[in-house]
Structure formats: C-alpha cells, structure tokens
Amino acid sequence: MIEQESFVIDTNCFINPYKQYYDFIFESDFWNELEKHIKKGSIILIKSVKDEILTSKDELSDWLKKLNVKALSERNDAKIVKNYQKIMNYLNDRSVFSQKAQEEWQSPKIADPWVVATALVKNATIITFEGKVYPNKKQLIEKAKIPNIAEYFGIKTADLFYMMRVLEFKL
C-alpha cells in the first residue's frame, strides 16, 4: 500500500489564500476541503501556526476557532522539541544568518522552526509560500526562511497549490 504524503502547513498558507484568493463568501469549498484534510490528518495543523492565526480578529481566526479539531501541541512532543533544538543549533552555528534572523526564530511567537521540526519528525512535506534566500559574500541573511532550513535537514517544501493537487481538492 502506498502511503499518502502528509503536510505541515505554514501560517502563510492560511493567511495568503484568505486575503488574496479564497474569500469565505465566494470560495467556501476551499475552506471545506482544508477542514476535511486537517480532520483526516493528511494536513497537520500545529499549535504555533494556530496561535499565529488567532492573534488576528478576522474571519480566518473565527473559522479556525470554529474548526472542531485539536492542533498538534508540538512543544509537548519530546521528538519535535529535540529537532527544534537541532534546528536552532544549525541556525545559530551558521555564519550566513544574521543575529536578527537567529533571534527572530528564537521568539516563542514564531511558528517557523516548529513547522520544520514537526515536518522532520512526521516525515511530512512543508507547505509554504516562502522562497529560499541566498547569501551573498558581503551580507548575512537577515531573515531565515523555511525552505533554506528545510533543505539542510532534507525536508521537502512545496506551495499550497502542490498540496491541493496531491490531495485532490474539489473547488
């Protein structure tokens, strides 16, 4: 039996569709499909991502509050915490990331390192709209991006539309 790919979804893959393409009034099918796959477990919603979304007071946060699904509490999972520490060590040991980039990922309000750590443990693809950043010889990377860190740890990243195709979203 072929195991279906699972996905850890970044905060921007909720916010960007909400603000740009899938208004709740006109595109409820997108949100219904997302809910279905979160409940099924093929999309892993982590608590850090949920918390980032809930800081806003809008239709997206209302939708997420009504969603009858428990987010994965990644900070209570010893394997995920161990991988989080590996990720932070990598980020801090690399001479390509600025002090600002390192400090940002250490903030308890930032979900990105937890997304990567969870994907590593769950052997899942990370879904994000972030793109890789490339260091130049004169300047350090000012903002760590999920695809850069994921690549180092051998984690696949893709965008929302890839996930929608794999999971056969019906819109």
Side-chain angles (χ1 to χ4, degrees), residues 73-137:
S73 185
E74 69 281 355
R75 294 169 201 230
N76 293 332
D77 183 308
K79 290 179 184 176
I80 295 173
V81 171
K82 184 177 179 181
N83 280 302
Y84 170 85
Q85 292 166 339
K86 286 181 188 176
I87 290 161
M88 297 314 295
N89 288 338
Y90 166 74
L91 188 68
N92 294 331
D93 292 343
R94 303 302 293 178
S95 61
V96 298
F97 296 104
S98 71
Q99 185 69 32
K100 178 185 170 198
Q102 295 169 17
E103 289 170 0
E104 184 178 78
W105 270 44
Q106 290 171 357
S107 168
K109 295 180 180 179
I110 300 297
D112 291 2
W114 294 103
V115 168
V116 177
T118 302
L120 193 54
V121 169
K122 300 292 186 180
N123 193 29
T125 299
I126 297 173
I127 300 303
T128 185
F129 283 119
E130 287 185 9
K132 280 180 71 174
V133 291
Y134 298 93
N136 71 42
K137 294 176 184 167

Side-chain angles (χ1 to χ4, degrees), residues 3-4 18 21 29 31 57 63 73 76 84 89 94 96-97 105 109 115 121 133 143 149 151-152 164:
E3 187 177 323
Q4 184 168 3
Y18 165 64
Y21 343 108
D29 289 344
W31 300 102
K57 303 296 178 222
W63 173 81
S73 185
N76 293 332
Y84 170 85
N89 288 338
R94 303 302 293 178
V96 298
F97 296 104
W105 270 44
K109 295 180 180 179
V115 168
V121 169
V133 291
K143 188 161 176 61
I149 309 302
E151 179 179 66
Y152 177 82
M164 290 170 65

Side-chain angles (χ1 to χ4, degrees), residues 15-33:
I15 294 172
N16 291 9
Y18 165 64
K19 290 186 175 182
Q20 296 175 7
Y21 343 108
Y22 299 121
D23 183 281
F24 280 96
I25 294 170
F26 302 113
E27 290 295 338
S28 61
D29 289 344
F30 169 79
W31 300 102
N32 292 337
E33 285 286 318

Side-chain angles (χ1 to χ4, degrees), residues 37-55:
H37 289 286
I38 291 170
K39 286 181 175 180
K40 199 167 117 179
S42 47
I43 296 174
I44 301 165
L45 172 64
I46 65 171
K47 187 175 181 322
S48 296
V49 167
K50 185 175 182 179
D51 290 347
E52 281 186 345
I53 294 167
L54 293 178
T55 61

